[in-house]
Amino acid sequence: MRRNAPLILILYGILFIALVSMNGEMLALAIPLALYMLAGLYFAPQEIDLKIERELSAERITPKQEVIVEIEITNLGSNLEELFLEDQISPALKIIKGETGFFCTLKKGESISWCYTLTGPRGSFLFKGIKAIASDHFNIAQKEKMIETEGQIFIIPSFTRIKNIKIRPRQTRAYAGNIPARIGGPGVEFYGLREYQPGDSLRWVNWRASARHPQALYSNEYEQERVADVGIILDGREAVNMGESGNSLYEHSVIAAAALSDAFIASGNRVGLLLYGQTLRWTFPGYGHIQRERIMQSLARAEIGDSSVFTDLMRIPSQLFPINSQLVLISPLKNDDYGTLVHLRARGYQVMVISPNPVSYERANLPDNANTRLASRIISMERRMFMLKLQRAGVQALDWDIREPLDKLVKAHLGRPPAWRNPIK
Amino acid sequence: MIKFSTFFTLWMGALALGFAYQQADLTIHMWVAVIIGAFWTWGLLQFKKQIPRIGMVLLSLLSIIGLFNELPFGWMLAGALNALLSYDLSNFYQRLRFASETEDIKLLKRVHFTRLSIITLLGLSLSTSVILWQAEFSLEWAIFLALSGIWGISLLVGWVRREA
């Protein structure tokens, strides 16, 4: 209606002026316009009855990959002279090839298909449906209908695979893995000595110790290696992630969370993910490929939040994580977080912190002058002191300058188990 | 073809009005018609959706003003009719941008042009015959037209309600 408003306005305007001024020429001027509108109304479309099916070349991609969306339309209703279809996609998605809009004429029972290619940033994108607008050839009379169609794309963070992260939680699970379990039994690393028991392999007998005690035989005991529970906490608080210039470290934290989850799951561990930000979003711990997929989908949806409830880390629900398990916090951190981390450590959790460095990140976006350099040095020193303080409290803290690849940093610092065992008694 | 027709009808309309105003020594009005034509051309090149509507309204208003100034009816009708044609073709051209390669665009264009030509010819012949007939525009005619107008408006309101 609003689209035809100028035409209606002119038509009735001319008619009104013609009547008021009793001008026949003015009336004649309105005739072509009136005929044009009448023709449009005469050929107005009937009800829209379309069957639409959408097919995606992939439902799970990384930010640089592309998805081909193919849509097939079948007209189950009457002939449609002009049909304009528009796929309602999120504005964050970027069209690489083709258009989300499609114009055609569709006879009764006829089918037609069109496709376009898109890509986008990390996220979960639901296709709302397709808007169908049928009209006559003059586009005077329109019929509009929203047709629901299924479809969803997960654009998961892309990351470099990390191998060999050595962790040492106090408690492990029953299944065999590659984390030292602090229990004697079959394994690789020497754990202790015990008296020979029937069934022990002769290769395990410690002949040197047995020689000292002629009455008994002693066997070597090795440290069992098992899988463990790992809880990954991704800090999405706006206060720690957003810089002064509006840049965010959060994407880097998400990539780190994806890489670490993948590494821990690949080692056979039971991994859970907690997104801490606007709300708490918990992915229940699990094993294997399905759990990896659940975590990646959860990370695809992860967003920064500025909830006043979660301004500090005090609200981390530690009861979600099995007691004495390994916790990995990915957060740029602020000084107030020290207490919470020490508290978690005191409760028996083995805490590891991967902290994207906000100082070097912000510094890169600021002008290079004496004041900035001095400020940067002071804040860097403060941060270094804070990290040392955390390490002294038994928290395995890793300062990550995001200009360096995470896998390199992890290989250098987490490729061997932490030097301490029970720093907090 | 459509692009050419759009620009052709647009400038035909603008220049017809401009010429009529120039003949009547109304130079300012003539320049207004030319400026509207240029503005509309710019809008078309920039794919601005609203420009054809604005251009059509402005050229039609110039035609009405021309009739008030007792300028020749033929030129004014040419102005208004070409503005309407250009408006329609501009919109059609914008819609055709989304047509797929598999779509039979030639057929779509042919049907559109045929219907538009019929309407144009019908409109022209009716308008011309009305003028040639030179019937006195009496009060009875005015009342009949007013009643027809009210009936038209009521139909329109009903249609809008159904749409809503």
mmCIF file of all heavy atoms in Angstrom, chain B residues 104-118:
data_model
loop_
_atom_site.group_PDB
_atom_site.id
_atom_site.type_symbol
_atom_site.label_atom_id
_atom_site.label_comp_id
_atom_site.label_asym_id
_atom_site.label_seq_id
_atom_site.Cartn_x
_atom_site.Cartn_y
_atom_site.Cartn_z
ATOM 1 N N ASP B 104 13.544 -16.980 -17.983
ATOM 2 C CA ASP B 104 13.334 -16.486 -19.344
ATOM 3 C C ASP B 104 13.020 -14.987 -19.262
ATOM 4 O O ASP B 104 11.864 -14.567 -19.258
ATOM 5 C CB ASP B 104 12.188 -17.278 -19.993
ATOM 6 C CG ASP B 104 12.111 -17.011 -21.482
ATOM 7 O OD1 ASP B 104 12.847 -16.135 -21.964
ATOM 8 O OD2 ASP B 104 11.303 -17.677 -22.155
ATOM 9 N N ILE B 105 14.087 -14.198 -19.219
ATOM 10 C CA ILE B 105 13.930 -12.750 -19.031
ATOM 11 C C ILE B 105 13.274 -12.112 -20.255
ATOM 12 O O ILE B 105 12.486 -11.181 -20.131
ATOM 13 C CB ILE B 105 15.295 -12.103 -18.717
ATOM 14 C CG1 ILE B 105 15.788 -12.657 -17.371
ATOM 15 C CG2 ILE B 105 15.203 -10.589 -18.634
ATOM 16 C CD1 ILE B 105 17.171 -12.251 -16.991
ATOM 17 N N LYS B 106 13.622 -12.630 -21.426
ATOM 18 C CA LYS B 106 13.058 -12.059 -22.658
ATOM 19 C C LYS B 106 11.528 -12.153 -22.646
ATOM 20 O O LYS B 106 10.841 -11.199 -23.005
ATOM 21 C CB LYS B 106 13.622 -12.803 -23.875
ATOM 22 C CG LYS B 106 14.985 -12.293 -24.288
ATOM 23 C CD LYS B 106 15.440 -12.935 -25.558
ATOM 24 C CE LYS B 106 16.839 -12.420 -25.896
ATOM 25 N NZ LYS B 106 17.409 -13.152 -27.014
ATOM 26 N N LEU B 107 11.043 -13.313 -22.205
ATOM 27 C CA LEU B 107 9.594 -13.519 -22.155
ATOM 28 C C LEU B 107 8.962 -12.556 -21.137
ATOM 29 O O LEU B 107 7.932 -11.918 -21.412
ATOM 30 C CB LEU B 107 9.289 -14.973 -21.770
ATOM 31 C CG LEU B 107 7.809 -15.305 -21.607
ATOM 32 C CD1 LEU B 107 7.144 -15.412 -22.974
ATOM 33 C CD2 LEU B 107 7.619 -16.603 -20.838
ATOM 34 N N LEU B 108 9.636 -12.436 -20.005
ATOM 35 C CA LEU B 108 9.153 -11.549 -18.944
ATOM 36 C C LEU B 108 9.061 -10.102 -19.449
ATOM 37 O O LEU B 108 8.071 -9.400 -19.238
ATOM 38 C CB LEU B 108 10.134 -11.660 -17.763
ATOM 39 C CG LEU B 108 9.599 -11.430 -16.378
ATOM 40 C CD1 LEU B 108 8.576 -12.484 -16.016
ATOM 41 C CD2 LEU B 108 10.735 -11.491 -15.359
ATOM 42 N N LYS B 109 10.103 -9.710 -20.173
ATOM 43 C CA LYS B 109 10.143 -8.350 -20.724
ATOM 44 C C LYS B 109 9.053 -8.163 -21.776
ATOM 45 O O LYS B 109 8.385 -7.124 -21.813
ATOM 46 C CB LYS B 109 11.511 -8.094 -21.369
ATOM 47 C CG LYS B 109 12.639 -7.823 -20.386
ATOM 48 C CD LYS B 109 13.898 -7.579 -21.192
ATOM 49 C CE LYS B 109 15.102 -7.465 -20.281
ATOM 50 N NZ LYS B 109 16.346 -7.384 -21.050
ATOM 51 N N ARG B 110 8.890 -9.189 -22.606
ATOM 52 C CA ARG B 110 7.911 -9.080 -23.693
ATOM 53 C C ARG B 110 6.492 -8.914 -23.122
ATOM 54 O O ARG B 110 5.745 -8.042 -23.549
ATOM 55 C CB ARG B 110 7.991 -10.332 -24.581
ATOM 56 C CG ARG B 110 7.443 -10.090 -25.963
ATOM 57 C CD ARG B 110 7.809 -11.148 -26.982
ATOM 58 N NE ARG B 110 7.492 -12.491 -26.539
ATOM 59 C CZ ARG B 110 8.352 -13.472 -26.509
ATOM 60 N NH1 ARG B 110 9.611 -13.261 -26.860
ATOM 61 N NH2 ARG B 110 8.005 -14.683 -26.122
ATOM 62 N N VAL B 111 6.194 -9.724 -22.118
ATOM 63 C CA VAL B 111 4.854 -9.644 -21.507
ATOM 64 C C VAL B 111 4.653 -8.263 -20.869
ATOM 65 O O VAL B 111 3.605 -7.630 -21.035
ATOM 66 C CB VAL B 111 4.683 -10.766 -20.443
ATOM 67 C CG1 VAL B 111 3.383 -10.589 -19.677
ATOM 68 C CG2 VAL B 111 4.741 -12.127 -21.080
ATOM 69 N N HIS B 112 5.696 -7.808 -20.190
ATOM 70 C CA HIS B 112 5.591 -6.508 -19.517
ATOM 71 C C HIS B 112 5.390 -5.378 -20.532
ATOM 72 O O HIS B 112 4.510 -4.532 -20.380
ATOM 73 C CB HIS B 112 6.868 -6.262 -18.691
ATOM 74 C CG HIS B 112 6.749 -5.102 -17.772
ATOM 75 N ND1 HIS B 112 6.405 -5.250 -16.449
ATOM 76 C CD2 HIS B 112 6.888 -3.759 -17.964
ATOM 77 C CE1 HIS B 112 6.359 -4.061 -15.878
ATOM 78 N NE2 HIS B 112 6.653 -3.139 -16.775
ATOM 79 N N PHE B 113 6.219 -5.405 -21.571
ATOM 80 C CA PHE B 113 6.127 -4.348 -22.586
ATOM 81 C C PHE B 113 4.772 -4.369 -23.295
ATOM 82 O O PHE B 113 4.191 -3.319 -23.573
ATOM 83 C CB PHE B 113 7.250 -4.502 -23.620
ATOM 84 C CG PHE B 113 8.504 -3.770 -23.214
ATOM 85 C CD1 PHE B 113 9.681 -4.447 -22.970
ATOM 86 C CD2 PHE B 113 8.503 -2.389 -23.070
ATOM 87 C CE1 PHE B 113 10.831 -3.785 -22.593
ATOM 88 C CE2 PHE B 113 9.649 -1.711 -22.696
ATOM 89 C CZ PHE B 113 10.818 -2.412 -22.455
ATOM 90 N N THR B 114 4.298 -5.563 -23.567
ATOM 91 C CA THR B 114 3.010 -5.682 -24.273
ATOM 92 C C THR B 114 1.901 -5.059 -23.420
ATOM 93 O O THR B 114 1.118 -4.233 -23.904
ATOM 94 C CB THR B 114 2.683 -7.173 -24.534
ATOM 95 O OG1 THR B 114 3.811 -7.774 -25.111
ATOM 96 C CG2 THR B 114 1.482 -7.347 -25.420
ATOM 97 N N ARG B 115 1.889 -5.451 -22.150
ATOM 98 C CA ARG B 115 0.829 -4.930 -21.270
ATOM 99 C C ARG B 115 0.948 -3.410 -21.102
ATOM 100 O O ARG B 115 -0.054 -2.693 -21.149
ATOM 101 C CB ARG B 115 0.925 -5.619 -19.910
ATOM 102 C CG ARG B 115 -0.360 -5.528 -19.140
ATOM 103 C CD ARG B 115 -0.315 -6.365 -17.910
ATOM 104 N NE ARG B 115 -0.497 -7.778 -18.172
ATOM 105 C CZ ARG B 115 -0.465 -8.711 -17.231
ATOM 106 N NH1 ARG B 115 -0.222 -8.379 -15.976
ATOM 107 N NH2 ARG B 115 -0.649 -9.979 -17.527
ATOM 108 N N LEU B 116 2.179 -2.968 -20.986
ATOM 109 C CA LEU B 116 2.404 -1.525 -20.807
ATOM 110 C C LEU B 116 1.995 -0.757 -22.072
ATOM 111 O O LEU B 116 1.389 0.317 -21.988
ATOM 112 C CB LEU B 116 3.890 -1.278 -20.482
ATOM 113 C CG LEU B 116 4.248 0.070 -19.899
ATOM 114 C CD1 LEU B 116 3.547 0.293 -18.571
ATOM 115 C CD2 LEU B 116 5.748 0.199 -19.708
ATOM 116 N N SER B 117 2.315 -1.321 -23.235
ATOM 117 C CA SER B 117 1.965 -0.668 -24.503
ATOM 118 C C SER B 117 0.448 -0.575 -24.646
ATOM 119 O O SER B 117 -0.084 0.471 -25.059
ATOM 120 C CB SER B 117 2.521 -1.459 -25.687
ATOM 121 O OG SER B 117 3.878 -1.680 -25.495
ATOM 122 N N ILE B 118 -0.237 -1.656 -24.281
ATOM 123 C CA ILE B 118 -1.709 -1.651 -24.395
ATOM 124 C C ILE B 118 -2.300 -0.562 -23.498
ATOM 125 O O ILE B 118 -3.147 0.235 -23.925
ATOM 126 C CB ILE B 118 -2.286 -3.049 -24.035
ATOM 127 C CG1 ILE B 118 -1.881 -4.065 -25.102
ATOM 128 C CG2 ILE B 118 -3.801 -3.010 -23.890
ATOM 129 C CD1 ILE B 118 -2.149 -5.505 -24.730
#
